[in-house]
Each structure stands twice: as structure tokens, then as C-alpha cells.
């Protein structure tokens, strides 16, 4: 019995690793296509045309081969162990967050638990903890590179990530208060019975999504790498697959953040008028739930990519002002107000 | 019986790694390497929390100590003049003996405190033999089993309740201490306008060969 459980978990891990890595390859293509559209270009359209495939569907293969076959330069003046460790930290911390993310229905009477570690009662705390480790990849890369640009990039990013972790953590507390649990399945169940998180916690959603941009180093907040000032920032000295691993880690982070957004604020697998409940467990219902959650995640990712070509980069003092002077106070107000309302409702309503 | 042996081997391995990391923290000549060893030690402590089935504490340990405290430490090191962290960091001669005495006193106090821990009257015994309660209720189980089962299954809630009831005083005192430290840090870092004008500009004050990344030499 336990052996089969173990084998099932290993299969789930392999599938999720494979699927997410493949998704990342195609997300890069999607991003390039969106970038081209935003800039009135055509974008990649050749790879795959030889085999009759439309829209450069083989471009990810070409990109991957390029990353693997390029010369892997390790400069003489770097601190070698840390220089090699940093990209691994970036990719591993981005990967292990998926351990507690539910990809579909999870529960005792479901067909399969769509989660590697089902029903972890502190799932969200785990995601936050793992996410806070990601900064080590960046700061170590910057320090070990022994290069001014890389070093400044690393310092900038550590300050930025520490600052935005606070509103990120505080903005979800309101939602957790409402749902009364750190378990993501319970949060989805609460939303399917009451209302989507974005409706009951609009301020929390905006704060969370904004800090998520900062945590993933996406464009309005991409000061750690800003090409124009820092020649690429912390990964200036990295080449070939080591650079590719940073890239991969960044996109994996985007997927994780989108999943958390969908689960916390967009109702998870819930859609109004479909009549799905946490208990419904037929084959069609299960497929519907998985389809809805991945569809919503894809929408969130598209939204994140769209923002990139809409907003210019912040100046550094503006970035810090935004976090400390407006987002953290707003998150505190949101938390206190939610706690007060929850207490009033629980006292006088039922 | 097999599980006990595995648990013991895991414990010994994690504890040994933790001790190695702690030694590395103390003995590293490079400050950044020392900070990284400290991160490794924090991680071993988190692993021990997991082995004690205190997953909530493990997550908090990673979130606060590794994700915030150690990062701030490294940030602090990298913002000082000793950017590469490779100045010698050993304790200067006359402070060695007092340091040793203070360390041994702390060690003695911790050993004494841990060996003589007492629970408040009326509460379930948390110290002593740690037995995992069965997940389902059984007849004739000891009185603490129900409470401990609740603690294992819903640790976040139980930790929060303990903070607001039994340990409210300690919790508030820790908060006060942190606030005082914060105010002190602001007071130390803050200089009024007149004072700032008299200070020498820091960049020119640097010695030519210290804290310069190699990139300048090449350019």
C-alpha cells in the first residue's frame, strides 16, 4: 500500500516537472509573440515551417538546443562553488513550490489527488517560505560573479525582494482569515461556497498581484536585471545553460505565482453556473475542474506578459517608496478591516 | 522498529550537518561564507523541526530566519566597505577569554534550562517522551493525546492560540524588544542635515585597493 502511494507520488513529481518545463519553453515563445504584437512586428515565424507547422511551433526546440550547445564560460575571477550553485538555487526554489499547489480537485473521494503533497495544512506558508529562498540565487550570483554590474544587480534585488515579501505575505492574510485555513483546497472550497476572493478582497488582490510582479522580477519591477543600466544585472557573467537556468527559474516563478493568484483570488476550479462543488468527483467534473484551473492560470500568465509591454520601469527610490509608504500601510489597513468585519459577522450574523 | 532506526539515523545525519555548518560559521575567514554557513545551520534546524512533526515551525523558520534575517545579514555585509567579505574576521586577542566565558555560560544555562523544563500546571506535558498520538480517537488513551493530536493536525491555529493565551506576555515582550531595536537602528542611521554635510564623502574615502571588484581593473 505505502509502496504504491510512493510510486504514485514519484510519477506525479515526474509529470509535473516535465509538464512545467515544457510549458516554460512554450511560454517563452508566447512571450516573444506578444512582444512582437505589442511592438508591431511579426516575431518568430520560421522554425517549424519546414515541417508544415504554423506559428514557429518548433522555436522552443531551437532555443533549448542553442542554450545547451553554447560554450559554457566560467570566468577566472569568480568564486567558483557559489557561481555554479546560484543557478541551481534559482531553479530548485522555483520548482519545489509546486509540491503543495493543487492542479485540480483534491480530497478523500476524488479519482486522483491533483497535488504532490495533498492536504498540507500549511500549504500557503510553505509556498511563501520557498519563495523567500529564491533571493539567494540572485544575490549569490551577483556576489560570486565578482563584477560591479552583477553585484549592484544582486544588491538591488535583495532589497527589492525583501521589501515586497512583506506586502505579498500581508495581502493574503485577509483571504486566509475569511477561509480560516492555510490549506489551499480549503480556500478554494470556501470560495466555491461563498464568493471569489477578488470580490471580497479587492484591495488584497491588487496588493498581492503587484507584489507578485516584484517577486518575479517582471518588467515594472525588473531593476535587478535592467538591461539599459546594468548590462543584465546579476546574470551578466552567466552564459549557455547556466543563464538558461535563471531564465527557466524566472518563468517557473511566473507559473507558481499565477497558480497562487488563481487559487486565492480567482476561485480555483470554480466557475459560476456550472454547479461544481468540492465533493463532485465524476470523470467529467474532474476534467472540467482541471481544465478551468489551467485555463485561468493561462489567463493570469497572459495578463502578466501584457503588463510587461504596458508599463515602464520604476526608478529605484520610487520602487522603495511604493513598497514601504503605500503598499505595506494599505495591506495593514486591509488586514485590520478584514479582521474587524469577520469578527462582527461571526458575532452578530450566526 | 525499523522506523525508529531510520529516524535516529536521519536525526544523527542532520545534527552532524548542523554542527558542521555551525563550526563553518565560526571558523570561516570570509564573512559572506560565514553567513552562508549560518543559512545551512538554519536549514538543519528547520529539518529537525520537520522530524519533530512541527511543520509549521519549520516553515516559519525558513521564512523568517533564512528568508529575511540571513538575507539582511548578507545585505549588511555587502553594503559595508568590506564588500567581498574577505577581511580577516577573527576575534582580536584581549576579547578571546571574555568571549569564551560568555559562550560557556550561555551553553550551561541552555543545558540546565532544557534538562529542567517544567510545564505550567494544568497544561499537557510537552517536554519528555514525545509520542505521536494516533490519528483516530482510541479508548483509554491518555488525557494529553487529544490535545496533542489537535496540535499536530492544525499547528498554525494552536501556535496562534498559545501566543495569545499562555505566552501572551513573552510575545508582547519580544515585540517590544524588536520595536526598541528598530528605533535604535533608525536613531543610529539617521544623521541630521548639518552633520551630514561635515562627513567626508564616502566613495573618495575608500582606500584605492579595497572593496573594488575586479571589473575596474579590466576597464
Amino acid at each position: 500500500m505505502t509502496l504504491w502511494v510512493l510510486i504514485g507520488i514519484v510519477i506525479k513529481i515526474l509529470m509535473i516537472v516535465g509538464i512545467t518545463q515544457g510549458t516554460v519553453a512554450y511560454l517563452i515563445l508566447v512571450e516573444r509573440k506578444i512582444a512582437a504584437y505589442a511592438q508591431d512586428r511579426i516575431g518568430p515565424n520560421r522554425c517549424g515551417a519546414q515541417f508544415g507547422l504554423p506559428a514557429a511551433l518548433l522555436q522552443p526546440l531551437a532555443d533549448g538546443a542553442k542554450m545547451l550547445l553554447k560554450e559554457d564560460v566560467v570566468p577566472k575571477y569568480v568564486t567558483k562553488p557559489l557561481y555554479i550553485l546560484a543557478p541551481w538555487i534559482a531553479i530548485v526554489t522555483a520548482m519545489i513550490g509546486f509540491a503543495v499547489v493543487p492542479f485540480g480537485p483534491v480530497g478523500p473521494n476524488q479519482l486522483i489527488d491533483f497535488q504532490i503533497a495533498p492536504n498540507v495544512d500549511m500549504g500557503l506558508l510553505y509556498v511563501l517560505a520557498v519563495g523567500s529562498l529564491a533571493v539567494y540565487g540572485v544575490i549569490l550570483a551577483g556576489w560570486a560573479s565578482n563584477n560591479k554590474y552583477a553585484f549592484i544587480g544582486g544588491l538591488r534585488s535583495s532589497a527589492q525582494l525583501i521589501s515586497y515579501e512583506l506586502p505579498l505575505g500581508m495581502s493574503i492574510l485577509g483571504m486566509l482569515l475569511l477561509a480560516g485555513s492555510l490549506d489551499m483546497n480549503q480556500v478554494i472550497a470556501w470560495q466555491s461556497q461563498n464568493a471569489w476572493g477578488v470580490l471580497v478582497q479587492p484591495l488584497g488582490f491588487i496588493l498581492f498581484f503587484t507584489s507578485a510582479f516584484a517577486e518575479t522580477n517582471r518588467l515594472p519591477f525588473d531593476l535587478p536585471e535592467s538591461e539599459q543600466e546594468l548590462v543584465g544585472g546579476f546574470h551578466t557573467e552567466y552564459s549557455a545553460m547556466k543563464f538558461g537556468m535563471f531564465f527557466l527559474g524566472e518563468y517557473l516563478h511566473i507559473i507558481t505565482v499565477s497558480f497562487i493568484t488563481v487559487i486565492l483570488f480567482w476561485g480555483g476550479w470554480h466557475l459560476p453556473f456550472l454547479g461544481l462543488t468540492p465533493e463532485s468527483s465524476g470523470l467529467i467534473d474532474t476534467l472540467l475542474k482541471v481544465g478551468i484551473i489551467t485555463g485561468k492560470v493561462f489567463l493570469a500568465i497572459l495578463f502578466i506578459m501584457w503588463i510587461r509591454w504596458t508599463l515602464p520601469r520604476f526608478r529605484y527610490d520610487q520602487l522603495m517608496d511604493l513598497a514601504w509608504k503605500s503598499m505595506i500601510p494599505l495591506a495593514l489597513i486591509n488586514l485590520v478591516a478584514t479582521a474587524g468585519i469577520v469578527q462582527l459577522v461571526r458575532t452578530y450574523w450566526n | 522498529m525499523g522506523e525508529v532506526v531510520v529516524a535516529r539515523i536521519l536525526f544523527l545525519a542532520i545534527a552532524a550537518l548542523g554542527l558542521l555548518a555551525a563550526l563553518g560559521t565560526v571558523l570561516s575567514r570570509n564573512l559572506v561564507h560565514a553567513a552562508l554557513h549560518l543559512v545551512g545551520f538554519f536549514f538543519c534546524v528547520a529539518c529537525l523541526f520537520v522530524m519533530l512533526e512541527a511543520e509549521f515551525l519549520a516553515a516559519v523558520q525558513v521564512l523568517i530566519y533564512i528568508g529575511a534575517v540571513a538575507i539582511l545579514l548578507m545585505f549588511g555585509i555587502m553594503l559595508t566597505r568590506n564588500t567581498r567579505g574577505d577581511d580577516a574576521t577573527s576575534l582580536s586577542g584581549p576579547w578571546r577569554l571574555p568571549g569564551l566565558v560568555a559562550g560557556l555560560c550561555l551553553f550551561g544555562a541552555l543545558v540546565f534550562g532544557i534538562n529542567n523544563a517544567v510545564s505550567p500546571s494544568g497544561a499537557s506535558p510537552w517536554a519528555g517522551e514525545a509520542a505521536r498520538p494516533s490519528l483516530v480517537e482510541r479508548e483509554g488513551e491518555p488525557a494529553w493525546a487529544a490535545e496533542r493530536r489537535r496540535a499536530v493536525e492544525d499547528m498554525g491555529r494552536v501556535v496562534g492560540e498559545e501566543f495569545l493565551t499562555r505566552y501572551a506576555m513573552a510575545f508582547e515582550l519580544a515585540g517590544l524588544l524588536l520595536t526598541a531595536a528598530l528605533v535604535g537602528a533608525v536613531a543610529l542611521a539617521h544623521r541630521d542635515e548639518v552633520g551630514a554635510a561635515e562627513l567626508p564623502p564616502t566613495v573618495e574615502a575608500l582606500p584605492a585597493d579595497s572593496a573594488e571588484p575586479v571589473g575596474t581593473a579590466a576597464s
Side-chain angles (χ1 to χ4, degrees), chain A residues 303-321:
Chain A
F303 186 73
I304 290 175
M305 289 179 173
W306 169 43
I307 292 282
R308 171 171 180 181
W309 301 105
T310 314
L311 294 176
R313 182 181 302 137
F314 281 103
R315 217 172 54 215
Y316 201 70
D317 56 326
Q318 294 171 332
L319 179 91
M320 284 294 153
D321 279 359

Side-chain angles (χ1 to χ4, degrees), chain A residues 175 187 190-200 264-265 267 270:
Chain A
M175 200 57 224
V187 178
W190 185 89
Q191 290 180 83
S192 71
Q193 280 147 15
N194 297 281
W196 283 15
V198 64
L199 297 177
V200 287
L264 280 180
F265 294 103
H270 180 256

Side-chain angles (χ1 to χ4, degrees), chain A residues 138 149-150 152-154 156-157 160 214-219 221-236 243 246-247 250 308 313:
Chain A
V138 176
Y149 294 121
I152 294 173
R156 275 185 177 186
S157 98
Q160 172 182 330
E215 287 283 310
T216 49
N217 293 337
R218 291 295 296 183
L219 192 77
F221 301 101
D222 73 336
L223 287 113
E225 30 192 310
S226 53
E227 294 87 347
Q228 293 89 341
E229 312 154 28
L230 291 181
V231 210
F234 62 89
H235 55 60
T236 304
F243 170 74
F246 280 118
F247 217 60
E250 193 170 301
R308 171 171 180 181
R313 182 181 302 137

Side-chain angles (χ1 to χ4, degrees), chain A residues 48-61:
Chain A
Q50 298 88 334
F51 307 101
L53 291 170
L57 278 181
L58 292 185
Q59 185 69 36
L61 279 183

Side-chain angles (χ1 to χ4, degrees), chain A residues 294-336:
Chain A
T294 38
K296 281 181 183 173
V297 166
F298 190 65
L299 279 182
I301 293 174
L302 281 186
F303 186 73
I304 290 175
M305 289 179 173
W306 169 43
I307 292 282
R308 171 171 180 181
W309 301 105
T310 314
L311 294 176
R313 182 181 302 137
F314 281 103
R315 217 172 54 215
Y316 201 70
D317 56 326
Q318 294 171 332
L319 179 91
M320 284 294 153
D321 279 359
L322 182 69
W324 291 96
K325 292 185 186 162
S326 30
M327 287 180 66
I328 292 177
L330 277 178
L332 278 175
I333 291 171
N334 185 42
L335 175 62
V336 172

Side-chain angles (χ1 to χ4, degrees), chain A residues 19-30 59-61 63-64 248 251:
Chain A
I19 291 175
T20 46
Q21 311 265 345
T23 314
V24 165
Y26 275 90
L27 278 186
I28 294 172
L29 176 64
V30 171
Q59 185 69 36
L61 279 183
D63 285 348
L248 203 59
Y251 276 86

Side-chain angles (χ1 to χ4, degrees), chain A residues 143-264:
Chain A
W143 186 78
S145 292
N146 199 0
N147 167 314
K148 268 186 180 170
Y149 294 121
F151 184 66
I152 294 173
L155 276 185
R156 275 185 177 186
S157 98
S158 59
Q160 172 182 330
L161 295 188
I162 293 172
S163 307
Y164 278 87
E165 237 165 54
L166 295 171
L168 186 84
M170 283 197 281
S171 57
I172 64 173
L173 282 179
M175 200 57 224
L176 298 181
L177 266 179
L178 287 171
S181 174
L182 280 165
D183 186 348
M184 289 190 254
N185 301 306
Q186 308 240 16
V187 178
I188 299 179
W190 185 89
Q191 290 180 83
S192 71
Q193 280 147 15
N194 297 281
W196 283 15
V198 64
L199 297 177
V200 287
Q201 284 279 310
L203 185 59
F205 168 70
I206 293 171
L207 291 173
F208 175 82
F209 213 53
T210 316
S211 3
F213 272 90
E215 287 283 310
T216 49
N217 293 337
R218 291 295 296 183
L219 192 77
F221 301 101
D222 73 336
L223 287 113
E225 30 192 310
S226 53
E227 294 87 347
Q228 293 89 341
E229 312 154 28
L230 291 181
V231 210
F234 62 89
H235 55 60
T236 304
E237 295 289 351
Y238 284 88
S239 54
M241 204 51 213
K242 290 205 184 69
F243 170 74
M245 281 159 82
F246 280 118
F247 217 60
L248 203 59
E250 193 170 301
Y251 276 86
L252 285 172
H253 258 295
I254 293 172
I255 300 180
T256 327
V257 157
S258 305
F259 261 108
I260 306 295
T261 312
V262 167
I263 287 161
L264 280 180

Side-chain angles (χ1 to χ4, degrees), chain B residues 44-61:
Chain B
C44 289
V45 174
C47 290
L48 286 183
F49 278 138
V50 171
M51 286 199 64
L52 293 171
E53 300 186 333
E55 292 91 355
F56 180 81
L57 291 186
V60 170
Q61 167 88 11

